[in-house]
Amino acid sequence: MTAPRLRILSVEVRERIMPFVRPFRFGPSVVEAAPQAFVRIELEVEGAGRAVGQSAEMMMPRWFDKAPHKSPEHTVDDLRRVLLHAAALYADAPWSTAYGLSADAAAMQLGWAEGRGIPALAAHFGPALLDKAVVDALLRALSLTFPEGLSRNVMGLDARNARDLSPDHISALLASLAPVPAVAVRHTIGLLDPLEGPHGLSAEIAAARLRFFKIKIGGDLAADFDRLAAITALLTHLAPDFRATLDANEQYDPERLCQLAAGLDTPALRPLKARLLYIEQPFDRAETFTRPLPPALDGIPVIIDEADGGLDAFPRAIALGYRGVSSKACKGLYKSILNAVRVQVGEGAFLTAEDLTCQPGLGLQQDLALVATLGLTHGERNGHHYVAGFGPAPEAEAGAFAAAHPDLYRLSDAGAALDVWRGVLATGSLLSAPGFARRAEPDWASLEPVTLPETRLHQEIPA
């Protein structure tokens, strides 16, 4: 199918603060609340009329940018800046395909961000949100589901920004898509998460049939070994067929990474090593590409996440000995798809599904639909773990999503929440919905406009 051209008629960006029910520590950062950004786009599709698309994503402090001179609030305001700048770029763009719009805006967005000290990973956040909303509207105009639209390439995806790939490579991947009906939950065990007690790991396993786990490690070898030994003993007892990943969030260096790998061969940690799938992002993103991976890792695969700042990051990492890269919709759905093409073309490489605290509703649904369509069978899901249900969203909004996607959410006296008790998330209602994985929408009147510090300061000064 020929990809139709489209043009943006209007863009609206809003947000909602999401308080956490428990602190989330990853690397050196501890988060107790974060804003969720929302985008609403109206566009016109050539030959198919007008449609509205929507998307959402968390603006997590000090994940996209951990520059030491920037406060957590500063990094979130930078995400607001890149979102508003991307919205302006897309609103002013001429007729183009969905991917053409994204590809053309990318260079302008990166150049603008570089001049303001905003790294590429953060700069891509704006286009990533806009692209999801554009795809939602395009598919609605064409009455196609996400798997149908992707397999027919109605977005016009090409290799202009991935010179290591050919059009045939992309066509082969899209023709071979085999969406999965469910994605197993890979439960995050944060650095501050208790192992016992009413809200501990033991209780989480008792409440859901969890088999996959993502374990955060902090870079202090002694502390990490002690905690890993306790977690391993617990998982061996309560979930004996478990599989796990380790996420270092940039807290290791080559020497300590080799010591970590060697330490996994001790009796207390040998069961973990036997069930370990990979180690995620051990080194600082700025150091990741300065040297090859050390050889003394005893065959343990290593993937990049925070170092995945541009479309060329994955092939560069493979050349240094890395085996995989994360899929996160907040980094760009087209990046995930192109990296899936690279996995199919390459040998021994793989794509994983990770989570940036995706919240029930648009954010979680679109990320889940993306990884399910790419055929990934398990993925990290932690938004439901750190935020209760739909958080401060109006009850009617949460109820609408639960009613529209009864295979994904459950209703109780406490309200609507993600249904994780089986240890898997069903994707049927997401992959069969016209548009990008949604049959409901947020209560837009309850959301706040996205504003910047200078704007807020002006609004606070009395006339």
Side-chain angles (χ1 to χ4, degrees):
M1 179 177 181
T2 301
R5 297 195 309 159
L6 54 85
R7 67 185 180 99
I8 306 298
L9 301 176
S10 66
V11 181
E12 183 180 3
V13 291
R14 290 182 171 266
E15 66 176 83
R16 172 187 288 148
I17 297 295
M18 306 296 289
F20 288 18
V21 293
R22 58 179 60 85
F24 183 18
R25 181 185 163 199
F26 52 93
S29 301
V30 178
V31 179
E32 298 190 58
Q36 184 176 195
F38 296 81
V39 169
R40 184 180 187 275
I41 283 180
E42 183 178 9
L43 54 74
E44 181 180 1
V45 179
E46 201 167 43
R50 297 185 175 191
V52 171
Q54 302 173 13
S55 65
E57 201 71 64
M58 288 291 280
M59 294 191 282
M60 291 294 285
R62 291 186 63 77
W63 186 84
F64 293 91
D65 184 356
K66 65 167 193 171
H69 67 281
K70 293 183 181 180
S71 68
E73 295 76 19
H74 187 165
T75 64
V76 171
D77 278 330
D78 276 349
L79 294 177
R80 293 183 173 108
R81 288 186 178 91
V82 301
L83 180 53
L84 291 172
H85 186 263
L89 285 178
Y90 279 55
D92 291 340
W95 286 89
S96 182
T97 63
Y99 183 66
L101 173 66
S102 177
D104 290 343
M108 292 184 285
Q109 179 81 356
L110 287 172
W112 169 87
E114 184 178 4
R116 286 157 179 79
I118 300 174
L121 187 66
H124 283 300
F125 176 79
L129 261 167
L130 272 290
D131 288 340
K132 291 197 298 177
V134 167
V135 167
D136 183 34
L138 171 63
L139 295 174
R140 286 173 178 276
L142 300 176
S143 298
L144 295 174
T145 67
F146 182 67
E148 290 171 341
L150 186 54
S151 64
R152 301 181 193 185
N153 198 11
V154 298
M155 300 84 167
L157 183 66
D158 58 43
R160 73 183 78 179
N161 287 337
R163 299 299 184 182
D164 56 314
L165 300 176
S166 71
D168 288 344
H169 291 148
I170 294 173
S171 297
L173 183 280
L174 300 184
S176 67
L177 291 173
V180 295
V183 176
V185 173
R186 184 152 25 87
H187 178 79
T188 299
I189 307 173
L191 287 164
L192 298 179
D193 289 354
L195 303 187
E196 302 292 348
H199 302 294
L201 178 59
S202 295
E204 297 283 352
I205 295 173
R209 300 172 188 174
L210 300 174
R211 179 171 170 253
F212 292 90
F213 301 87
K214 175 170 179 168
I215 307 169
K216 298 285 188 178
I217 51 178
D220 180 328
L221 276 168
D224 284 343
F225 282 143
D226 286 346
R227 184 163 172 82
L228 288 175
I231 291 172
T232 300
L234 188 151
L235 294 181
T236 302
H237 176 62
L238 297 179
D241 62 343
F242 77 91
R243 295 293 183 270
T245 67
L246 298 181
D247 186 4
N249 283 118
E250 309 177 80
Q251 297 304 296
Y252 272 76
D253 55 39
E255 180 180 355
R256 282 181 295 130
L257 181 63
C258 292
Q259 293 173 357
L260 175 71
L264 293 176
D265 211 26
T266 59
L269 296 180
R270 209 165 285 145
L272 172 61
K273 183 179 180 182
R275 296 163 176 80
L276 183 63
L277 300 174
Y278 52 83
I279 297 174
E280 180 180 348
Q281 194 61 54
F283 308 143
D284 185 288
R285 66 194 75 182
E287 300 294 324
T288 295
F289 299 106
T290 61
R291 62 176 70 87
L293 274 177
L297 297 180
D298 199 19
I300 300 172
V302 182
I303 75 165
I304 61 168
D305 184 27
E306 289 95 329
D308 184 24
L311 275 177
D312 64 340
F314 188 25
R316 289 170 61 204
I318 289 175
L320 295 174
Y322 292 84
R323 293 276 303 282
V325 65
S326 63
S327 170
K328 284 182 175 174
C330 65
K331 296 193 296 184
L333 67 97
Y334 296 125
K335 179 188 285 186
S336 290
I337 298 165
L338 290 170
N339 281 339
V341 176
R342 290 176 167 127
V343 167
Q344 188 174 76
V345 171
E347 185 174 336
F350 59 91
L351 186 68
T352 77
E354 311 302 329
D355 190 2
L356 194 67
T357 323
C358 291
Q359 294 304 303
L362 295 179
L364 179 138
Q365 291 174 196
Q366 291 174 338
D367 188 87
L368 184 61
L370 172 63
V371 301
T373 301
L374 295 178
L376 304 183
T377 56
H378 63 89
E380 179 196 14
R381 291 295 127 193
N382 64 48
H384 67 283
H385 180 56
Y386 293 104
V387 174
F390 280 73
E395 184 177 341
E397 175 184 323
F401 275 100
H405 301 278
D407 56 345
L408 189 60
Y409 303 110
R410 58 178 172 79
L411 284 169
S412 69
D413 292 341
L418 193 66
D419 186 358
V420 297
W421 76 271
R422 291 168 297 176
V424 298
L425 299 177
T427 62
S429 68
L430 304 181
L431 302 185
S432 62
F436 191 8
R438 72 172 178 92
R439 299 174 183 269
E441 65 179 277
D443 178 354
W444 290 91
S446 71
L447 305 175
E448 296 293 327
V450 171
T451 59
L452 298 176
E454 50 270 28
T455 305
R456 294 194 290 269
L457 179 63
H458 178 74
Q459 291 172 341
E460 292 168 2
I461 297 175

